[in-house]
Amino acid sequence: EVIRHASVAAEGLCKWVRAIVKYDGVYKEIQPKRIALAEANEKLAIVTDEMEKVLAELKKIQDKIDELESKFKKQNQEKQNLINSIKECELKHDRAVELTSRLSGEKTSWLEAAKNLLEDKQNLLGDVLLSVGVVSYLGPFLGEYRQRILNHNWIQKINSLNLTCR
């Protein structure tokens, strides 16, 4: 205010000088901060580059982990399938052993049945001849008479013709 009363031009010059002094103070206060900011930005760029490299490496590792997990799941599924297949084969084997053991007990009865069928086959013609004769000729007679005729006459006659009967 004092300078303004003396000269209007001096007032503008005084304001300009005060602004320059204030600017210089602020500049001197900000300049170390700008330098620190530039250094921090350089460090940030370096750290960011390193972080990008680490993230790229991490992505490779994560991809490898994902691949290995996928293989692991696939192998576990295959393992489980093989275990199920083994259990199924063991069950089939156990059933086959049981069936074989049960059928081995039937061997004797099958051999006996085959022997009886062979005898029946050999006696078939003679048995049919006797049956036809009994039905045709001996039906009206008493059982005792029929038995005597069969045992003493007809069976001997059939045997003499090289036929067998029971």
Side-chain angles (χ1 to χ4, degrees):
E1 300 261 340
V2 175
I3 294 179
R4 182 168 47 122
H5 290 296
S7 167
V8 175
E11 176 191 8
L13 188 58
C14 184
K15 285 183 180 180
W16 179 80
V17 169
R18 286 182 73 169
I20 290 294
V21 169
K22 188 174 181 181
Y23 174 80
D24 182 56
V26 170
Y27 181 80
K28 286 180 182 176
E29 187 179 320
I30 291 177
Q31 187 60 26
K33 292 179 181 179
R34 282 186 179 175
I35 293 171
L37 176 64
E39 289 174 0
N41 282 337
E42 287 177 14
K43 289 180 182 178
L44 176 65
I46 292 170
V47 170
T48 302
D49 288 343
E50 289 178 15
M51 184 179 77
E52 287 175 0
K53 290 177 185 176
V54 169
L55 287 176
E57 186 68 26
L58 177 64
K59 182 171 181 357
K60 288 180 186 177
I61 291 171
Q62 188 63 42
D63 291 343
K64 185 69 173 176
I65 288 172
D66 292 342
E67 179 185 340
L68 290 173
E69 283 179 347
S70 174
K71 284 183 180 179
F72 178 73
K73 287 179 183 177
K74 184 178 177 183
Q75 293 295 324
N76 271 345
Q77 183 64 39
E78 187 176 333
K79 174 187 164 190
Q80 190 61 41
N81 289 344
L82 289 173
I83 288 172
N84 292 341
S85 178
I86 288 171
K87 287 179 182 178
E88 187 177 323
C89 287
E90 286 175 347
L91 182 62
K92 286 179 182 179
H93 176 264
D94 292 344
R95 288 177 181 167
V97 167
E98 182 181 347
L99 180 62
T100 304
S101 68
R102 287 184 181 183
L103 289 178
S104 68
E106 294 291 319
K107 182 179 179 182
T108 307
S109 65
W110 281 101
L111 289 174
E112 185 66 31
K115 181 181 172 186
N116 291 340
L117 285 175
L118 186 61
E119 287 178 13
D120 288 347
K121 180 182 172 186
Q122 291 171 349
N123 293 334
L124 183 64
L125 187 58
D127 288 346
V128 168
L129 186 60
L130 279 178
S131 298
V132 168
V134 167
V135 169
S136 298
Y137 298 110
L138 298 179
F141 298 108
L142 296 174
E144 184 179 308
Y145 178 72
R146 282 187 295 209
Q147 194 64 40
R148 193 177 57 206
I149 293 290
L150 281 175
N151 289 336
H152 293 295
N153 294 347
W154 288 10
I155 291 178
Q156 291 174 1
K157 180 66 176 173
I158 288 175
N159 287 336
S160 70
L161 295 174
N162 291 329
L163 297 175
T164 58
C165 61
R166 289 190 181 188

